[in-house]
Each structure stands twice: as C-alpha cells, then as structure tokens.
Amino acid sequence: MTASHLLLDYAYDHEEALRDKIFLTQPIGGGQVKDYTWAQTMDQARRMAAHLKAQNFEPGARIAILSKNCAHFFMAELAIWMAGGTTVAIFPTELADTVSYVLEHSGASLLFVGKLDTWELQKSGVPVGLPCIAFPLAPATSYESWDAVVARTAPLTGRVPRAGTDLAFIAYTSGSTGQPKGVMHNFERGTRAAEGIVKDQLLRMGEVPDARVLSYLPLAHIYERAWIECASLVYGKTHIYFAEALDTFLQDLNRARPTSFISVPRLWLKFQQGVFTKMPPKKLDRLLGIPILGRIVGRKVLKGLGLDQAIMAGSGSAPIPAELIDWYRRIGLRLFEGYAMTEDFGYSHTSKDGFNAPGCVGIALPGVQLRFSDEGEILIKSPGQMVGYYKRPELTAEVFTEDGFFRTGDKGVLTDKGLLKLTGRVKEIFKTSKGKYVAPAPIENQLNAHPLVEMAIVSGVGQPAAYAMVVLAEDIRPRVQDATVRARVESELGQLLKDVNGSLADYEKLQMVVIAPVPWSIENGCLTPTMKIKRSKIEASVEAALPGWYANKQAVQWA
C-alpha cells in the first residue's frame, strides 16, 4: 500500500473485495445476534455520513459517541470520518460531570447515544440543544433513532478522501489524576500504527483463515481502538464479535471462540480466580505438573474460559504480575505482555516468542525508538505519536523533548537481553519519613500474584514505613464474617507480608497489610474506566485512619 493509504481507504477496499463477508456480530438480547457484512456495515455508515454532511457542520467538526462497544460504534466512526468529522468517544461509565466536560471541552456538534447501563446518571451532562441520535441498542430517549435516519437517507457515494493530517479522533484519557486530557490522533499516524499492529500479529500468528476477536474493552480507550477496531479496518478479514453484558460474558466469549484475545491485568486475574473457585490452586498445580494429563487439564480450563482457540493473547494497560503470565502459559495460553500509551496510539512495546521474561514488556515494535532520561524516565518516539493535547499547547510542549520524544511518566530499564522492564511511575514513587524513596509498582505486583488478593496499592508518604492496602478476591469477600475464614485470611496475608518483605530492601519493607472494607470500583470513583487504580483518591479516603493503623502494630488489619 502507498503511504497515502489511510484507514478509510482500507474500509473502501474491503467494501468492494469482501462485500459478503461477515464483519460484525452484535448480540441483540435473548441469545440472538445480528450479523453485518462489510457491504451492510458500509451502507449504514454511508447513509449516516450523508445525514451528517447535510448538517453543514464546520470541517473537522467533533462528533461524540457515548456507548458501550457495539456494531454501531464502528458504523458511526466510519460515518463521522466520511462526513469530514473527528470522533470524540466518551467512556460509557463516565457520569454526568465528565460527559458534560468532554462535550463542552471538545466543542461537540452532535452526540451518538448508544448501549449504556447508567444513562439516568449521564443524561444531565448532555447540553440542552445538542443534536443527538440514538443507536438501536440505546436506552429509551426522545432522540431520533439511527434506524430512522438511515431509512430516509440515501448513501454517500464514492471514496470520500481524508487528508493524513486531518484529525481522526480525540481520545480523552480516563483521568486517574484530575480532568481527562484530549489526545489528538490524525489519520496518517493512526493508520501507520494500525498497519504495524497487523504486521506484528501476522508475523506471530500467520494468516488465520477464520480470524475472530471479541470486542469488550472500552472502545473509548486507545488499546481497544487500535488493536481491535483500527487493526480490523486495515486487515479486513477479522470477524468482530461484541459482548452483550457482564453476566453473559462467558457465553459471549464462547460464541466468539476468539483466535486472539486481549485483556487487562485486572480481568486476567478475575478469570484465574474464577478457575480457582472451581478447583483449588494447589490441586490444579499438581495436575498441571503431570505429563500428558497436565496438557489435557490445561486445555479443559481454557475451553471453560472460551479461550481454547486462542493462538495468542495479550495483556496491556497496566503492569501484570509475572506469576500470572506464567500460570496462563502453564495451562497452554501464549499470553504476552505489552506496553503502550494513549499518546502513542497503543503502539510501543510487546513481548513475543524469544523476547519475553517475567516482569518485562518486551521489545520495541518496528519504527518505535526508545531512550531514557537521566532520571530513568522512559522516552518514546512512535509512528503512532499523538499530534498533541486538544486546546492544551502548554501541556503538549511539556511532555515532548526538544527532539520529539514523548515523556511517558514511567521509569524503566533495559535488561541484558534488551527487554524493557518497568520499575514504576515517576510520580508514584514516594518518600517515607526515613528519607528513602519507595517504588510501589514492583511491590504491588508481588501482592497481586496471591490468590486472595484482587487489587493492591502500596503507600506511606511521610510515614515511618510503607504499608499495603488490598481488596480481597471476589469469592472470599462474602465469607469474611465467618471467623474461620477471617482467621485463614489473616494467616495467609501475614505469611504474604513476610514473603514480600523478605525480597525488599529495609527501607521498602511494609509495616502492615490493611484489608479494604469495600472493593474499589469505577462506580465508587476508585478505578478509572480502564480499571486503573485512582491512587490519590484511595490515599485521601484513608488518611484519617493512618495514625491508628500505625499505632496498632498488627501485621494484618481490617479497615
């Protein structure tokens, strides 16, 4: 392909060459699904594009999508691009204040409202008078429906071009600290990154005759947008399945039987803990160690997860415990960790066969340059580099070096084999009252590897020693009122504290493990929509209790 071939050009190619191939499969309730071929997908997108053009919005008009993943998200994005607009996708879990902020900050001209679970808590964030269109699976609204618009609108014809320098979308970060920032990506850089992703996958998996993926991580997040949506627009032959709801997830996964699968550490951990509720870890470990039988057992576990057809799997968005990767590889899943950011279009580093090691995120993808600042901060230059932050030129200038490398905010080192190893976030490293710096991420990874722990943070700014706070695993939480279960939790976490402290320098050692009273979630504001921990929020919520915990001297405490 020529360097001028962009995401939309690929879609036009597939519209012609793969007309009757099913591209999208959407659950519509009651166990039913609706399939859309490439021709049907593009026909709907062209009709909506014609409607958008007729509104005479300014060139590059920002058009927003507030929706969970669904077939009409893909169609709407293609329509926005064909109509000359720029997509602004809002995380479907954001509440009214953030919805309002993103719509107003981006200057959105129109909003598509789609599949949502919390519309009642979001709709007040939509400015009065903003034109809105409802997807087929949207909650009940007074807005005109997608189906009504496309039924009365003739499709836009021809291959409507976009310039490589045109903005394709503004990705608002999920905001673990303060207001979300609008990351601008243009067609040229987004396409080059998506092409790189496709080449990487073909190199590792070969041509898969019936390539299938499940789209369920938020499409508002660059990870899913780049590695699932944009990669599928470039490749064309991947069959995209969508998840219906949280409680149908395993059913959705089994319907798709994906040939490749990407997830985030929090979900990889939940899948593992789900397996452990059916078979205790020690028994499973023993069975996996028996030749031949171990492979059969591993295959059965993967089939139960809907991942027995997965040639390859990936984890990204946050650090994953090395022990968790090892466990998945033991049951027969080729799970690789990757590292990238919203600002480089999800295109930076990945581990692969021959280039993976516990705790490492692999090597640079083709075209990516890596170096370190004097302080050890990771600096990246990627083909998918953002144009900048929307309406924030001063912040854009701040995050780039003079020669165009992006300051990631992560610290890292290269191993002797050339693999990138993350050692923590620059801003998360804290100092205890002893004057020594503690990097929480490596310690948190050790804690997260324990079957009783769902999530952990390590903190202790200005305290005599660091401490850990943990959320217990989902299957244990309902049973902690039972004295026997409580005693077991205290005993196992006490041993975990000793084991972890045994691997740490004196100044890093944890004084205690505190058990959080309720799980951290998106709903209670402790997790971002991409399930990253909002550290400052949790630290602020326990600040008043800290003196009592430190005075208590107990190794394991209940908050």
Side-chain angles (χ1 to χ4, degrees):
M1 293 295 168
T2 65
S4 61
H5 219 71
L6 302 174
L7 290 168
L8 261 184
D9 300 305
Y10 281 107
Y12 298 141
D13 292 346
H14 306 322
E15 181 183 23
E16 293 169 13
L18 304 170
R19 286 189 60 76
D20 299 323
K21 176 173 173 49
I22 294 173
F23 177 35
L24 309 172
T25 292
Q26 176 65 56
I28 53 174
Q32 302 297 303
V33 297
K34 185 164 184 179
D35 293 328
Y36 297 93
T37 63
W38 264 105
Q40 290 166 331
T41 299
M42 291 296 284
D43 178 67
Q44 294 236 0
R46 285 179 176 282
R47 289 171 186 275
M48 185 54 70
H51 172 77
L52 294 176
K53 272 194 85 67
Q55 308 312 303
N56 293 315
F57 296 138
E58 63 183 316
R62 279 73 57 214
I63 297 175
I65 304 175
L66 175 63
S67 177
K68 292 167 72 176
N69 298 19
C70 61
H72 286 80
F73 189 114
F74 278 50
M75 295 174 195
E77 180 128 82
L78 289 165
I80 291 165
W81 291 348
M82 281 191 265
T86 300
T87 312
V88 175
I90 305 173
F91 283 96
T93 50
E94 295 288 22
L95 299 181
D97 57 346
T98 305
V99 171
S100 171
Y101 173 80
V102 172
L103 291 174
E104 290 182 18
H105 185 266
S106 65
S109 298
L110 181 140
L111 171 67
F112 287 106
V113 174
K115 250 189 109 177
L116 295 166
D117 295 331
T118 53
W119 175 237
E120 289 301 312
L121 302 174
Q122 297 169 306
K123 61 185 181 183
S124 63
V126 180
V128 175
L130 181 70
C132 296
I133 294 172
F135 286 172
L137 293 170
T141 70
S142 58
Y143 309 141
E144 185 168 27
S145 73
W146 173 284
D147 287 346
V149 172
V150 300
R152 62 175 164 77
T153 310
L156 207 61
T157 56
R159 296 171 70 106
V160 185
R162 293 299 298 270
T165 52
D166 285 356
L167 285 188
F169 43 75
I170 302 172
Y172 277 84
T173 58
S174 51
S176 59
T177 54
Q179 290 285 19
K181 302 184 288 285
V183 179
M184 299 185 286
H185 283 293
N186 68 23
F187 282 100
E188 170 67 29
R189 296 180 191 179
T191 304
R192 302 294 85 91
E195 288 171 341
I197 289 165
V198 170
K199 281 177 191 163
D200 173 73
Q201 292 182 320
L202 287 174
L203 205 61
R204 293 204 263 173
M205 296 170 62
E207 281 273 1
V208 181
D210 183 20
R212 302 177 303 280
V213 297
L214 181 71
S215 176
Y216 69 99
L217 296 173
L219 276 163
H221 189 220
I222 214 72
Y223 186 28
E224 185 83 356
R225 202 74 155 285
W227 285 78
I228 298 295
E229 184 193 13
C230 291
S232 74
L233 293 179
V234 167
Y235 185 54
K237 298 174 195 169
T238 304
H239 184 164
I240 311 274
Y241 289 79
F242 295 93
E244 183 171 5
L246 197 58
D247 56 3
T248 63
F249 187 77
L250 269 182
Q251 185 184 321
D252 298 325
L253 200 47
N254 276 280
R255 179 190 297 117
R257 279 281 186 290
T259 52
S260 65
F261 184 75
I262 62 172
S263 195
V264 294
R266 167 115 159 73
L267 291 175
W268 285 120
L269 189 62
K270 280 184 86 71
F271 294 161
Q272 183 200 49
Q273 289 174 342
V275 171
F276 288 165
T277 60
K278 294 175 183 170
M279 187 182 290
K282 285 179 182 170
K283 182 182 178 183
L284 179 58
D285 202 47
R286 193 169 65 249
L287 292 173
L288 290 172
I290 301 170
I292 301 174
L293 178 62
R295 281 201 300 276
I296 294 168
V297 170
R299 192 95 184 144
K300 192 172 179 186
V301 170
L302 285 176
K303 187 158 189 183
L305 291 170
L307 294 175
D308 56 314
Q309 300 291 309
I311 300 166
M312 192 175 72
S315 180
S317 187
I320 183 171
E323 295 85 349
L324 195 54
I325 291 180
D326 286 343
W327 183 83
Y328 276 102
R329 288 184 183 162
R330 282 195 75 203
I331 63 172
L333 186 68
R334 289 170 69 215
L335 175 60
F336 297 101
E337 184 173 11
Y339 167 70
M341 311 193 81
T342 303
E343 287 86 351
D344 54 34
F345 203 78
Y347 188 80
S348 179
H349 282 68
T350 184
S351 57
K352 52 180 74 178
D353 290 322
F355 295 97
N356 67 80
C360 295
V361 294
I363 57 173
L365 285 158
V368 172
Q369 298 173 55
L370 163 75
R371 73 169 194 237
F372 300 94
S373 73
D374 293 342
E375 297 74 38
E377 183 178 4
I378 298 166
L379 308 176
I380 298 281
K381 194 182 276 189
S382 167
Q385 201 99 292
M386 70 169 179
V387 176
Y389 295 116
Y390 191 60
K391 295 181 180 174
R392 300 288 299 275
E394 74 299 336
L395 189 56
T396 302
E398 200 178 292
V399 298
F400 284 109
T401 62
E402 284 184 16
D403 56 348
F405 278 76
F406 177 71
R407 305 178 200 271
T408 63
D410 290 312
K411 294 189 82 164
V413 293
L414 278 181
T415 68
D416 53 4
K417 291 186 178 173
L419 303 177
L420 178 61
K421 183 181 177 75
L422 305 184
T423 57
R425 290 285 293 166
V426 172
K427 288 179 181 173
E428 284 174 1
I429 293 171
F430 63 88
K431 196 186 278 190
T432 63
S433 62
K434 292 173 183 169
K436 291 279 194 175
Y437 283 103
V438 177
I443 307 171
E444 289 163 358
N445 265 347
Q446 289 191 62
L447 296 166
N448 286 334
H450 195 281
L452 277 182
V453 177
E454 185 172 292
M455 284 181 279
I457 69 161
V458 168
S459 188
V461 182
Q463 299 294 339
Y467 73 94
M469 191 167 197
V470 303
V471 171
L472 293 177
E474 194 171 9
D475 61 311
I476 291 289
R477 292 200 296 262
R479 297 188 278 139
V480 293
Q481 297 313 313
D482 182 313
T484 311
V485 173
R486 211 171 169 89
R488 181 197 141 205
V489 167
E490 289 173 7
S491 168
E492 289 197 31
L493 291 186
Q495 187 57 50
L496 175 62
L497 182 64
K498 283 180 188 169
D499 294 345
V500 169
N501 278 342
S503 70
L504 301 176
D506 282 348
Y507 64 87
E508 294 175 308
K509 291 187 192 302
L510 305 173
Q511 179 163 320
M512 61 200 158
V513 173
V514 179
I515 299 163
V518 293
W520 303 325
S521 66
I522 297 168
E523 290 72 27
N524 63 23
C526 293
L527 298 182
T528 72
T530 54
M531 289 189 269
K532 292 189 183 79
I533 290 171
K534 290 190 175 181
R535 190 178 298 270
S536 57
K537 164 102 180 181
I538 295 164
E539 287 172 338
S541 71
V542 301
E543 194 173 354
L546 283 178
W549 292 344
Y550 277 97
N552 192 326
K553 302 289 187 189
Q554 292 291 316
V556 178
Q557 302 187 39
W558 300 80

